[in-house]
Amino acid sequence: MLAPQLALANPYARASSLWAQAAATQTTTTTTTTTTTQETTTTQPAGDQWKPTSSKAPKSNELEETPQPEPAPEVKPEPTPEPAAPPPEPEKPKWTRHGFGIRGGISIIPTWAVRGYVQSMTNALCRGDSIPGGKFGAGLTRVEGCNFYIGGEYIYRFSKNFDIVPAVAYHRLKAPDGLWLDDSERDANGNPNLGAADYTQVNFSFVALQVDFIGRGTIVETPDFAFQLGGGGGLGLGIITGKGLWQTPLGSPAVGSTDGNPQATCNSIADYSDFTKCTPHWSPDPDNPGAPPPAQGSLALDQTGMNPGRFAKCTKDGCNEADLNVLGREKGINLPVIPIVNLLLTARFLIKDTFGINLTGGWNTGFYFGGSLQYFFGSR
């Protein structure tokens, strides 16, 4: 017997159950035994017993289904984190590559550089008419004015710490007129031979064309300010614009005059600072003793008197150049171009890498000290 639930659920199963029940209760047919065969007959239940209990099978969607357990949620593996990006490369330092500037300063030719060759000379040391003490004043008879330079420069910053600087500048390089006496002009007792001095005019002013190469180290640097120290050197040429070196013999014996008559006023090197005390005049040339004196009327003092001593017309600070030419003025050095070797030390203040204040000192044709104002521009 099937459980009612099973019977109701499946009509074919119920039919099989009935068939099994009938087989258990049926009558066994008579068995006939013979010597050769044996036959067993089984009675089948009536045909109507195999009919289904229902003419209509339930729909599949009407069958009761055993609920299936929900599948376990799929465990997704955690994503592998992407490798961290490498840190950005530090930004390379930037600087403006181009600039221009205006430079200027003072120049000094120290007297000690040539005092081994002269007993007396003049120079320009920015001291007026006063004579400085020490080595700078040794052998000087007059100090007057200042030598200076002024010009323009282009700056190419090859790197943040190395500049190439072409420049053009005018250098005033002259000395006041003076009586220069060679150191060798001494008598047997060591006294200076005053009459052997030469009235000397010096003007080696020039226009410089040069290129400097300057390395700098940055001492302090902020986004708005930088302080650099450095040095370098340069080469160039100086085109002489001054009249050069001219000399006129003082004349022996050394005397002075304001009216053409000799006066015994030139008695020491200190008197060389006043040309009315030690006045250039004509005297026989030891190398050409037969040369005639200047013709009457060729000197300025000839116009006011007889001028028997053949003196040039002079004031305390200078003499008439036409008279000097008559007395035999000669050019001592004739160089249209001079070489320039520049050695320098520098300190520069940079503001926002745009404006520069540059202080410079060194040596080219003499000691110099000055600076420049610089403006930088262009892409970085």
Side-chain angles (χ1 to χ4, degrees):
M1 297 286 289
L2 295 174
Q5 294 84 349
L6 183 58
L8 290 175
N10 193 336
Y12 298 100
R14 185 170 180 271
S16 298
S17 176
L18 292 177
W19 179 82
Q21 183 179 4
T25 57
Q26 71 180 352
T27 303
T28 305
T29 59
T30 303
T31 304
T32 305
T33 304
T34 62
T35 58
T36 57
T37 60
Q38 179 180 348
E39 181 181 3
T40 301
T41 305
T42 303
T43 305
Q44 298 294 332
D48 58 354
Q49 293 181 354
W50 297 99
K51 296 180 180 180
T53 58
S54 174
S55 61
K56 185 178 179 183
K59 296 179 179 179
S60 61
N61 58 4
E62 294 177 357
L63 298 178
E64 183 176 353
E65 297 181 358
T66 304
Q68 299 295 326
E70 295 183 1
E74 182 180 357
V75 179
K76 295 182 179 180
E78 294 184 0
T80 304
E82 295 182 1
E89 294 184 1
E91 187 177 2
K92 295 182 179 180
K94 297 180 179 179
W95 66 92
T96 47
R97 282 198 177 272
H98 307 280
F100 62 84
I102 299 174
R103 59 169 58 179
I106 61 173
S107 299
I108 296 173
I109 300 178
T111 56
W112 53 261
V114 293
R115 71 174 182 151
Y117 305 97
V118 293
Q119 296 184 59
S120 68
M121 61 181 296
T122 60
N123 207 337
L125 295 175
C126 299
R127 294 289 300 267
D129 286 334
S130 64
I131 306 299
K135 290 185 177 180
F136 278 101
L140 288 182
T141 55
R142 181 178 293 109
V143 178
E144 181 180 283
C146 289
N147 288 320
F148 63 88
Y149 66 93
I150 186 170
E153 60 188 17
Y154 164 73
I155 307 104
Y156 175 70
R157 301 178 73 186
F158 183 81
S159 72
K160 196 172 183 180
N161 299 103
F162 184 72
D163 294 352
I164 301 174
V165 187
V168 56
Y170 170 74
H171 291 249
R172 179 187 184 270
L173 191 63
K174 63 180 297 185
D177 292 357
L179 294 170
W180 290 32
L181 179 64
D182 292 346
D183 189 58
S184 60
E185 294 292 345
R186 300 177 184 269
D187 61 19
N189 297 321
N191 298 316
N193 181 8
L194 297 179
D198 294 301
Y199 184 93
T200 304
Q201 298 167 292
V202 178
N203 186 348
F204 283 106
S205 299
F206 63 93
V207 174
L209 304 174
Q210 67 187 74
V211 179
D212 295 328
F213 303 90
I214 306 171
R216 292 183 172 90
T218 302
I219 307 302
V220 178
E221 185 173 19
T222 69
D224 297 325
F225 173 80
F227 174 60
Q228 298 177 314
L229 291 177
L235 297 172
L237 293 174
I239 303 172
I240 301 297
T241 58
K243 60 186 178 182
L245 174 68
W246 291 84
Q247 291 187 308
T248 307
L250 173 62
S252 182
V255 290
S257 179
T258 57
D259 58 2
N261 294 305
Q263 302 289 330
T265 53
C266 187
N267 301 308
S268 69
I269 288 179
D271 295 329
Y272 279 175
S273 60
D274 185 345
F275 299 128
T276 62
K277 290 183 177 181
C278 298
T279 309
H281 62 94
W282 180 85
S283 66
D285 185 355
D287 296 331
N288 187 14
Q296 185 66 32
S298 60
L299 296 171
L301 286 180
D302 293 348
Q303 313 304 320
T304 60
M306 295 300 294
N307 190 13
R310 316 310 287 143
F311 285 95
K313 184 177 182 180
C314 297
T315 65
K316 177 179 181 295
D317 298 320
C319 296
N320 184 294
E321 281 199 10
D323 286 357
L324 296 177
N325 287 329
V326 171
L327 294 176
R329 188 174 73 144
E330 296 181 355
K331 192 167 188 176
I333 299 177
N334 185 16
L335 293 175
V337 176
I338 59 173
I340 295 175
V341 178
N342 187 31
L343 301 175
L344 64 94
L345 296 174
T346 179
R348 182 165 69 185
F349 301 87
L350 275 176
I351 302 171
K352 292 187 177 294
D353 204 51
T354 302
F355 297 98
I357 301 173
N358 188 43
L359 302 178
T360 305
W363 168 274
N364 47 35
T365 53
F367 287 112
Y368 70 93
F369 177 79
S372 60
L373 298 177
Q374 300 173 334
Y375 172 73
F376 297 98
F377 60 93
S379 59
R380 298 190 171 203

